[in-house]
Amino acid sequence: MTTSAKDHWSAEKYSSAADFVPKLTTTVLSYLDVQPGDHILDIGCGDGQLTVQIAASASSGQVLGLDASQSFISTAREKYSSRNCNFELHDCTHLDQYPNAVDGSWDKVFSNAALHWILRNPGTRVHVFRDAHRALKPGGKLVFEMGGKGNVAEVQAAFTAALVHAGLSLEAAREAKPWFFPSVEWMSRTLSEVGFEVEKCELEYRPTKCSPENTDGSGGLVGWLRLMGAQFLEAVGEDKREAVLKEVCEILETVVTREEDGSKWLGYTRLRAVARKQ
Ligand SMILES: C[S@@+](CC[C@H](N)C(=O)[O-])C[C@H]1O[C@@H](n2cnc3c(N)ncnc32)[C@H](O)[C@@H]1O
């Protein structure tokens, strides 16, 4: 299944503005506990750098990375495709439309830093977990990390204010938010309701340092806002976007900056879960 949504991603911008995302994964990878021979589906695999790491541990197994970004999938294929590691373009809000994805053959379904995008639409939210459940073998497990309730709350508040100042209604500014950051309570209940046994569901406040800013504006806080907040910016006409971005940076300046060294930290709150198909 191809995707019609605009592709905001590029491996180059991702590595400048958010190279920490696939690296800060020690805990979720320990929960995944990859075994040789595992068949693993990676939902929202991005540029594939984490997927290929998983595939190396799965050795004789198979890992399939699915992502809705053509740019990321092209990069992943070019750099990391191998006998046991493959990548396909697919919108994971409809996992059941990918051939054999929900055939009950997978040992593990994995996702890092992607489900808060994939679950954005309330209409397809619960289906994603139903499909993940159908994808797994009995005894198989779903393991993921994503933004949880309160994640980058300062960014959300700053974008909402700047969009209202740019002329949007409060409702339209709120609607521009591209993510869903659920609570532990919502997540545990939803996973149980679709038939999982929830082994872990936890929230961690993990302030995360912005990457260094590049002269071309690609890294740092501003690069992060351009990449991750693209949908907020697209809520206004092109002529207003730089002004919105500037105002967001100004609102955030003292909120995210550590006075002792000037470094900028975003208030990442991560939700991790391990859920088993009985
Ligand atoms: C922050 S990146 C994380 C990528 C990778 N998992 C990692 O850890 O580096 C979020 C990813 O979610 C993907 N994504 C967002 N919505 C999606 C959807 N509906 N279906 C599939 N992938 C989606 C994006 O294309 C992007 O690659």
Side-chain angles (χ1 to χ4, degrees):
M1 182 194 186
T2 52
T3 64
S4 53
K6 186 168 174 191
D7 190 354
H8 298 105
W9 302 96
S10 90
E12 209 179 318
K13 287 187 210 157
Y14 192 53
S15 73
S16 300
D19 69 331
F20 50 79
V21 175
K23 291 181 184 152
L24 294 171
T25 47
T26 312
T27 308
V28 73
L29 287 180
S30 76
Y31 292 171
L32 185 64
D33 188 26
V34 183
Q35 298 298 315
D38 270 351
H39 283 221
I40 302 177
L41 187 59
D42 182 2
I43 294 177
C45 63
D47 64 0
Q49 54 177 300
L50 191 53
T51 323
V52 76
Q53 217 179 301
I54 292 167
S57 307
S59 54
S60 59
Q62 279 292 331
V63 181
L64 173 63
L66 298 177
D67 200 282
S69 160
Q70 178 65 67
S71 164
F72 267 165
I73 288 297
S74 300
T75 303
R77 281 186 176 153
E78 235 169 71
K79 287 173 99 169
Y80 304 122
S81 273
S82 69
R83 182 203 53 76
N84 79 332
C85 188
N86 293 288
F87 299 95
E88 296 292 341
L89 182 68
H90 188 72
D91 178 350
C92 294
T93 54
H94 299 284
L95 204 54
D96 57 335
Q97 290 176 18
Y98 186 80
N100 307 329
V102 296
D103 62 359
S105 71
W106 300 90
D107 296 294
K108 288 158 187 169
V109 174
F110 175 76
S111 185
N112 181 57
L115 281 172
H116 46 267
W117 306 89
I118 297 168
L119 302 178
R120 165 70 181 82
N121 179 352
T124 48
R125 204 168 272 166
V126 176
H127 296 292
V128 174
F129 293 111
R130 280 214 182 92
D131 288 346
H133 190 269
R134 285 170 66 199
L136 288 163
K137 284 178 179 166
K141 61 182 186 175
L142 168 67
V143 179
F144 63 87
E145 178 169 318
M146 64 184 287
K149 194 70 195 165
N151 192 51
V152 295
E154 69 285 42
V155 172
Q156 193 178 320
F159 262 123
T160 306
L163 289 177
V164 169
H165 295 160
L168 257 63
S169 66
L170 180 57
E171 199 182 34
R174 286 177 174 158
E175 194 48 36
K177 177 175 67 104
W179 315 296
F180 172 60
F181 296 136
S183 66
V184 163
E185 288 73 19
W186 183 92
M187 187 57 77
S188 300
R189 191 180 63 243
T190 303
L191 291 170
S192 301
E193 280 172 3
V194 303
F196 282 108
E197 184 188 339
V198 182
E199 294 185 355
K200 280 185 207 300
C201 190
E202 62 196 22
L203 203 64
E204 180 194 5
Y205 177 58
R206 193 198 64 200
T208 300
K209 192 176 180 179
C210 293
S211 61
E213 200 165 320
N214 300 323
T215 43
D216 65 359
S218 59
L221 174 64
V222 73
W224 190 100
L225 294 168
R226 273 187 211 283
L227 182 66
M228 304 290 186
Q231 281 105 323
F232 279 118
L233 292 170
E234 283 168 9
V236 292
E238 221 164 316
D239 55 327
K240 291 186 175 169
R241 289 181 195 161
E242 286 307 305
V244 167
L245 192 61
K246 185 166 177 281
E247 184 176 340
V248 171
C249 288
E250 282 168 2
I251 296 173
L252 290 178
E253 181 60 29
T254 53
V255 182
V256 303
T257 307
R258 293 195 176 176
E259 287 177 25
E260 64 273 24
D261 61 4
S263 59
K264 292 188 168 56
W265 296 70
L266 289 171
Y268 269 55
T269 302
R270 308 319 278 173
L271 190 156
R272 281 186 291 269
V274 177
R276 199 171 286 278
K277 178 170 177 172
Q278 290 149 315

